[in-house]
Amino acid sequence: MKLRGEGGSSRLQRQYIFNVPPLAGEYSGGSEVAKNMDVFPQNLLVAFVLSLLYVSGRAYRLDILKRNSEPNEGNVRLSGSESPSEGRVEIYHDGIWGTVCDDNWDMAEAQVVCRQLNFPGAKSVVIGKDYGKASGPIWLDEIACTGKEKQLVSCQFSGWGKTDCTHKEDAGVICESRNDVTLSGSTHSLDHSIGLSGDLGQIFDSGTACDFLITFQTPNGNKKDDGTEEMIETTICAHKAILMLYPYFSASAGANNITVTVSRPCQSYFTSFIRYLYTRKTEISYSSAMCLHQLASDFGINQLMEDIGRLFSNILPDDASFHSQVSLYKYAVESKDLVLEENCVQYMAWNFQNLTSSPVWPELPVELLRSLLTRSDLVVADEYFLLQTLEDWITNNGSSLSSEKQTDLLRLVRFPMIPAEKLYELETKSLLFSAHRDLYRDSVLKAYQFNVLLYSNLTQLKLVKENNDYKPRIYTGETWSIAINPLAKSSSSQSRNRYENYGYRDSYGRYGGYYPNPTASPNKQLSTPLHNSLLFKNNMITWEANILKTQNDCSWRGLRCESFPAARLALQNQYQSTSGVLFRNRLLLTCQSKYVCQIQGFKGDLAYVNTNDTQVLAYPCPDDKYTYTFVVRPEYV
């Protein structure tokens, strides 16, 4: 069996430590291979390793003997309650304890948590209870368990740190205590697995009683006389008891050896990769990440592959040319890492306008462009800008792009979202109108229907719910958005507006009297049409946008904020016919005026900003220096 690894780019500096509940042990051998295989009776070694695997189980709470120890990846605990069987559910990931959002939180999830903590089972779920202030990120959201999993991390969830929740929505449980069940037939588990990972690492390092040879070949760049590549061979002696857990090695099929091919850049990391299979721990640097990710993909180690994939989000903002982002996207598609692929596409969707002015834009892969055009979180000035940009790209790539592929891309433009005044210009100003006349005319007709028909008529024609053509993306043009930079200095007129907005008057009714707000927060007003449709062009509504930095800022407005900073986008004049319109507004955070690093939805009038200290960021931002862009997004409902 031969598996071919792939090389990759390297980046330096940071290192990350993965600490996953261990499975088994390993060794990097050499000339001592044959000797070591005879040192220790194999049957005793196998029995010892299997006994380690048996007692390791998972991470259980030990109530009769408490000791301070380093938690393992995926451990859970209950916090905020005097009872050891009740509390807020917290999970350990990437060296930090975090919480779980209560979206979809039910008895199946509670049963998994309670059994993982070695309680007999769960009594009930707890939602909305105040267990005190939670620190750290919200690690899990939209979690779905069957109830049979041994660990909460084995359940399905949307991804580490991917959430729109606040700590007010932290999930809790009440577990059955041992006093709640009869003692007859009850069991008590002891968990001494804290040192197991290190023990298994020592077994690998020593090579004691190893019984499975792994030969990895690396091309040295030279050719043999027959034209084939010369290979450098290195042998590692490992243990069947460990490798039988990984089907790709076929260690349980009676074989005693395997030869694999590893690319030259990844040669130095292969031993570390095999050691990880024993210890479930490894150190990741930017220089090793691509190789370890590729090896994990080749050998089916999905958890390692996905966790390394998430680390790439830290480097995506570093390259303004977008060469790295596109290269990582291609690599993710090739390695079939859906997590990494989504991470790359999302970053480029959020920073689409930067992408269109980058050196890679003219030769952007058509599959990547198509993925971007399907997204509703694509950030653009407006849909007309998107059409013009796409037409330019198609025109430049026309010789290599079939008419069918051009049509496929153009159909992803949301013509009903194009401002009505721009629709009239398409026939004379569009670069591709004559080449795709039927498509443009059909699309423009659909856009006109959207602009002149009432919602009830559109519903009867089944136009609105047909597809996404009638739903806005994230439009940052002046019609639908306004930006606030908290670090910018306010003018005197802006300061006066602060008082006016808050409504502070003296006894004579003058603004700016004797009761100014001591913590006046940055704010602006924005006027938008009620809806994208031309029917509502003159039906203007007013919004107030605020950045709230303290609880005092919230209290002045009668609000209770869960965390800071927070953003508020509040409708000031409720138009009488808004009942058929739903506003799915968004808050964009642009880091240091360079790239969009975070997008948040509003719940009611408020959106909470994730910071580097307390939450998981989609993409990191040094010093939390943001520009806040408030985007209004009306939809028919």
Side-chain angles (χ1 to χ4, degrees):
M1 173 182 179
K2 289 192 177 182
L3 296 174
R4 184 167 301 278
E6 295 292 339
S9 59
S10 63
R11 298 183 64 88
L12 303 176
Q13 305 307 324
R14 306 182 196 173
Q15 291 194 347
Y16 302 85
I17 295 178
F18 290 114
N19 183 359
V20 183
L23 290 178
E26 68 185 291
Y27 163 69
S28 69
S31 60
E32 299 294 318
V33 168
K35 176 182 175 182
N36 287 332
M37 291 180 68
D38 297 327
V39 170
F40 196 72
Q42 294 186 15
N43 57 339
L44 292 180
L45 186 279
V46 172
F48 170 66
V49 173
L50 290 177
S51 67
L52 287 176
L53 292 171
Y54 176 75
V55 301
S56 69
R58 296 295 183 181
Y60 292 109
R61 171 180 285 188
L62 181 61
D63 291 322
I64 63 172
L65 179 61
K66 294 185 178 178
R67 68 183 186 183
N68 294 325
S69 60
E70 184 70 23
N72 288 327
E73 178 77 11
N75 282 173
V76 294
R77 69 183 183 186
L78 301 182
S79 299
S81 172
E82 295 183 358
S83 170
S85 59
E86 177 185 354
R88 176 179 57 248
V89 177
E90 297 185 357
I91 187 166
Y92 191 77
H93 172 64
D94 202 17
I96 302 173
W97 285 102
T99 63
V100 181
C101 179
D102 61 16
D103 291 350
N104 293 340
W105 189 253
D106 212 334
M107 282 300 292
E109 291 73 32
Q111 292 286 7
V112 174
V113 169
C114 291
R115 286 201 307 271
Q116 185 175 348
L117 291 171
N118 203 31
F119 292 105
K123 275 186 176 181
S124 63
V125 300
V126 179
I127 294 175
K129 184 172 180 178
D130 185 4
Y131 284 114
K133 183 178 180 180
S135 61
I138 301 172
W139 277 130
L140 303 182
D141 192 3
E142 301 291 347
I143 191 163
C145 302
T146 64
K148 298 180 181 179
E149 293 85 355
K150 293 182 179 180
Q151 285 191 309
L152 189 63
V153 74
S154 299
C155 303
Q156 294 183 352
F157 56 95
S158 55
W160 291 106
K162 291 188 175 182
T163 180
D164 59 356
C165 297
T166 68
H167 280 303
K168 187 177 181 180
E169 300 166 270
D170 287 340
V173 296
I174 300 176
C175 299
E176 293 179 347
S177 66
R178 295 176 181 84
N179 296 329
D180 296 329
V181 297
T182 59
L183 293 178
S184 59
S186 61
T187 60
H188 301 273
S189 298
L190 300 179
D191 181 7
H192 298 154
S193 65
I194 188 66
L196 179 59
S197 179
D199 293 340
L200 293 174
Q202 291 179 13
I203 291 174
F204 173 80
D205 295 337
S206 68
T208 302
C210 58
D211 56 357
F212 191 88
L213 297 180
I214 305 173
T215 300
F216 61 96
Q217 300 177 330
T218 304
N220 65 4
N222 299 323
K223 298 285 185 178
K224 296 180 181 178
D225 293 338
D226 60 2
T228 59
E229 288 186 309
E230 288 185 0
M231 294 286 186
I232 301 172
E233 290 192 351
T234 307
T235 301
I236 296 175
C237 190
H239 303 85
K240 278 190 177 182
I242 303 299
L243 298 183
M244 64 187 297
L245 299 168
Y246 306 100
Y248 283 76
F249 288 96
S250 301
S252 60
N256 294 316
N257 61 82
I258 188 175
T259 299
V260 299
T261 301
V262 179
S263 64
R264 190 172 183 179
C266 295
Q267 176 186 8
S268 59
Y269 303 113
F270 189 73
T271 300
S272 298
F273 171 72
I274 298 298
R275 195 178 196 278
Y276 166 84
L277 302 182
Y278 284 69
T279 64
R280 289 303 180 96
K281 293 181 179 180
T282 189
E283 293 185 357
I284 304 293
S285 65
Y286 283 136
S287 59
S288 68
M290 188 75 80
C291 284
L292 290 175
H293 185 276
Q294 182 62 61
L295 291 169
S297 173
D298 289 342
F299 289 94
I301 316 301
N302 292 330
Q303 186 172 4
L304 178 62
M305 181 181 71
E306 292 176 1
D307 281 346
I308 294 176
R310 292 186 184 96
L311 293 181
F312 288 126
S313 64
N314 292 318
I315 67 173
L316 288 175
D318 292 346
D319 186 2
S321 73
F322 283 86
H323 285 292
S324 298
Q325 294 87 335
V326 174
S327 296
L328 277 175
Y329 165 80
K330 293 178 180 178
Y331 168 73
V333 172
E334 181 181 345
S335 62
K336 298 180 181 179
D337 186 336
L338 299 179
V339 174
L340 178 57
E341 180 181 344
E342 165 61 18
N343 208 356
C344 294
V345 175
Q346 177 182 267
Y347 180 83
M348 286 183 274
W350 290 6
N351 294 278
F352 185 76
Q353 291 183 232
N354 289 344
L355 174 64
T356 60
S357 59
S358 72
V360 303
W361 172 252
E363 299 178 357
L364 198 74
V366 64
E367 298 81 7
L368 173 55
L369 179 56
R370 193 182 193 287
S371 296
L372 292 168
L373 294 175
T374 61
R375 300 179 69 100
S376 290
D377 64 345
L378 190 71
V379 178
V380 289
D382 56 38
E383 198 72 17
Y384 186 62
F385 167 85
L386 181 62
L387 175 60
Q388 290 180 307
T389 305
L390 177 60
E391 287 183 337
D392 288 338
W393 186 91
I394 292 176
T395 301
N396 292 331
N397 291 272
S399 59
S400 61
L401 209 61
S402 67
S403 178
E404 290 75 15
K405 285 190 175 181
Q406 294 181 29
T407 299
D408 179 57
L409 292 173
L410 289 168
R411 288 191 189 280
L412 296 175
V413 176
R414 302 180 182 182
F415 281 85
M417 294 294 105
I418 295 177
E421 61 272 14
K422 299 296 183 181
L423 292 172
Y424 296 107
E425 303 175 359
L426 286 182
E427 188 167 0
T428 57
K429 293 188 176 182
S430 169
L431 298 175
L432 300 175
F433 190 95
S434 59
H436 300 276
R437 187 177 302 274
D438 290 341
L439 182 149
Y440 273 82
R441 285 181 172 175
D442 290 344
S443 300
V444 170
L445 175 60
K446 188 162 58 173
Y448 282 151
Q449 289 176 323
F450 173 80
N451 276 283
V452 300
L453 293 180
L454 294 174
Y455 173 67
S456 57
N457 301 116
L458 292 172
T459 304
Q460 292 173 4
L461 292 174
K462 298 182 180 179
L463 290 176
V464 175
K465 297 183 180 180
E466 237 175 33
N467 49 44
N468 289 326
D469 286 354
Y470 302 93
K471 297 179 181 178
R473 305 184 199 267
I474 301 179
Y475 300 129
T476 56
E478 61 181 10
T479 302
W480 298 106
S481 75
I482 194 167
I484 297 179
N485 184 352
L487 301 179
K489 294 182 179 180
S490 300
S491 66
S492 58
S493 61
Q494 287 176 317
S495 299
R496 179 176 179 268
N497 286 337
R498 290 184 182 184
Y499 292 103
E500 292 178 353
N501 287 335
Y502 296 135
Y504 296 113
R505 302 172 183 262
D506 62 15
S507 57
Y508 297 100
R510 296 176 299 192
Y511 283 106
Y514 298 101
Y515 304 101
N517 181 0
T519 59
S521 56
N523 73 94
K524 287 185 178 181
Q525 287 196 344
L526 170 67
S527 293
T528 69
L530 175 63
H531 191 266
N532 308 64
S533 171
L534 188 61
L535 292 174
F536 300 101
K537 181 178 181 180
N538 296 321
N539 299 335
M540 303 299 289
I541 53 178
T542 302
W543 303 83
E544 183 180 75
N546 308 99
I547 301 170
L548 310 174
K549 298 181 179 180
T550 67
Q551 191 60 252
N552 202 20
D553 291 340
C554 297
S555 299
W556 281 102
R557 295 168 178 81
L559 303 172
R560 186 179 185 278
C561 301
E562 296 298 323
S563 63
F564 301 97
R568 173 177 174 264
L569 184 61
L571 192 59
Q572 298 299 291
N573 55 332
Q574 187 72 33
Y575 191 77
Q576 60 181 3
S577 60
T578 58
S579 57
V581 176
L582 176 66
F583 294 98
R584 302 186 189 274
N585 300 334
R586 292 291 184 265
L587 175 70
L588 278 62
L589 275 74
T590 303
C591 180
Q592 299 177 344
S593 302
K594 295 178 181 177
Y595 59 91
V596 177
C597 64
Q598 189 180 154
I599 295 180
Q600 295 290 343
F602 284 85
K603 290 190 175 182
D605 295 340
L606 293 175
Y608 294 100
V609 177
N610 295 341
T611 65
N612 290 338
D613 294 333
T614 60
Q615 297 289 331
V616 180
L617 292 180
Y619 309 102
C621 179
D623 303 323
D624 296 335
K625 293 180 179 179
Y626 306 122
T627 297
Y628 298 72
T629 302
F630 298 76
V631 181
V632 176
R633 299 174 70 244
E635 293 182 25
Y636 279 136
V637 291

